Amino acid sequence: MKKSFFLIFCISFLATPSFGQEIKATYSAEVITDLFSPDSVPNLDYELMVDQMNFQNKKAAAEIKFIVISDNKKYQVTAEWPEYLQFFETAYNLAQTSIINSKFIASDIQQKKSYYIPRVLEFTRQVAADNVKWRITETSKQINGYTAILALPEILNQNEEYQKFIPEECWFIPEIDFVGGPTAYATLPGLIAEYKTDSFILKLEKIEFGDFDFKKFDPEKLAIKDHLKFVEFYKEWNKTHKPGGGLKN
């Protein structure tokens, strides 16, 4: 009888996982620099329009939730808009693009490659995730009840990414053993809790464990260019197209 009870207990214990094999992390965004510069506007009317556009961009970005899903082999960064929009869709499109520069980011953790999946462009931009080397410091702070560690970046090649998406600092949580974060450069040994560039800050709000749906992504079916070739292609493309029909992600 005791042996039977012990066997049943072991089977039940082994069959009940402690948590799912995937993580879903939700982040909020804060834009800290103006997207549009008033320095180049010709008169007061244009300056007021630029001020309004910067205001809308900051407000729209604050309403968007950025979602990271990881299974420690791959992770994706997507965006969820609010149910009721305060501004036109173009404002949210622009705000999303100003933070993740894409419809969504897909990262292959093992291959150390990240892809900016475009909204309308023909080509997908690819970057090397290990172009950012992280120096883990001894500085820590509490974030959402977890101990987060400060990591500072060393950029191997500044020309391999747009300046506004190059990180200045990052806080990650070693206790949460999932690679992932709201960036193409989440290669730290733990989930990213805060991510700061000179343009914006992303902060962790919520963590969930379970089984989650990744967006369909197959790099073999995409037209892909690495960053330098991507930039050069659209630089030439813009020369042959009318104003207003240039680079939009």
Side-chain angles (χ1 to χ4, degrees), residues 196-213:
K196 181 179 182 293
T197 73
D198 64 3
S199 301
F200 58 84
I201 304 172
L202 289 154
K203 296 183 178 182
L204 179 66
E205 287 191 342
K206 183 173 65 173
I207 300 170
E208 302 168 75
F209 297 98
D211 296 315
F212 305 101
D213 293 328

Side-chain angles (χ1 to χ4, degrees), residues 134-137 139 149-153 168-172 188:
W134 295 101
R135 178 172 64 85
I136 299 174
T137 73
T139 304
I149 306 298
L150 175 64
L152 300 175
E168 288 188 343
E169 68 175 40
C170 177
W171 295 83
F172 75 101
L188 285 157

Side-chain angles (χ1 to χ4, degrees), residues 166-184:
I166 292 177
E168 288 188 343
E169 68 175 40
C170 177
W171 295 83
F172 75 101
I173 305 173
E175 181 181 344
I176 303 177
D177 189 21
F178 278 87
V179 175
T183 170

Side-chain angles (χ1 to χ4, degrees), residues 38-47:
D39 298 336
S40 59
V41 299
N43 56 48
L44 182 59
D45 289 338
Y46 277 94
E47 184 176 348

Side-chain angles (χ1 to χ4, degrees), residues 62-117:
E63 293 179 19
I64 296 172
K65 299 302 181 186
F66 293 89
I67 310 299
V68 173
I69 297 175
S70 173
D71 64 4
N72 270 340
K73 295 180 181 178
K74 60 185 179 297
Y75 71 87
Q76 292 183 353
V77 187
T78 60
E80 291 183 356
W81 293 4
E83 185 176 354
Y84 300 103
L85 305 183
Q86 292 192 52
F87 310 107
F88 292 114
E89 285 191 10
T90 51
Y92 293 92
N93 271 325
L94 186 59
Q96 178 178 330
T97 301
S98 71
I99 302 295
I100 62 172
N101 197 228
S102 59
K103 184 178 180 181
F104 69 95
I105 298 172
S107 187
D108 186 322
I109 295 171
Q110 296 173 329
Q111 295 295 321
K112 297 181 179 179
K113 294 179 180 179
S114 291
Y115 304 86
Y116 292 91
I117 311 303

Side-chain angles (χ1 to χ4, degrees), residues 98-165:
S98 71
I99 302 295
I100 62 172
N101 197 228
S102 59
K103 184 178 180 181
F104 69 95
I105 298 172
S107 187
D108 186 322
I109 295 171
Q110 296 173 329
Q111 295 295 321
K112 297 181 179 179
K113 294 179 180 179
S114 291
Y115 304 86
Y116 292 91
I117 311 303
R119 191 179 303 280
V120 295
L121 294 181
E122 176 184 359
F123 291 101
T124 292
R125 183 165 69 92
Q126 174 190 306
V127 296
D130 57 359
N131 188 38
V132 175
K133 297 293 185 183
W134 295 101
R135 178 172 64 85
I136 299 174
T137 73
E138 296 182 357
T139 304
S140 66
K141 68 177 181 178
Q142 291 295 304
I143 297 179
N144 292 8
Y146 294 96
T147 299
I149 306 298
L150 175 64
L152 300 175
E154 176 189 352
I155 315 302
L156 301 185
N157 189 338
Q158 295 274 353
N159 296 322
E160 291 287 351
E161 181 57 278
Y162 295 121
Q163 178 61 40
K164 69 176 299 179
F165 301 110

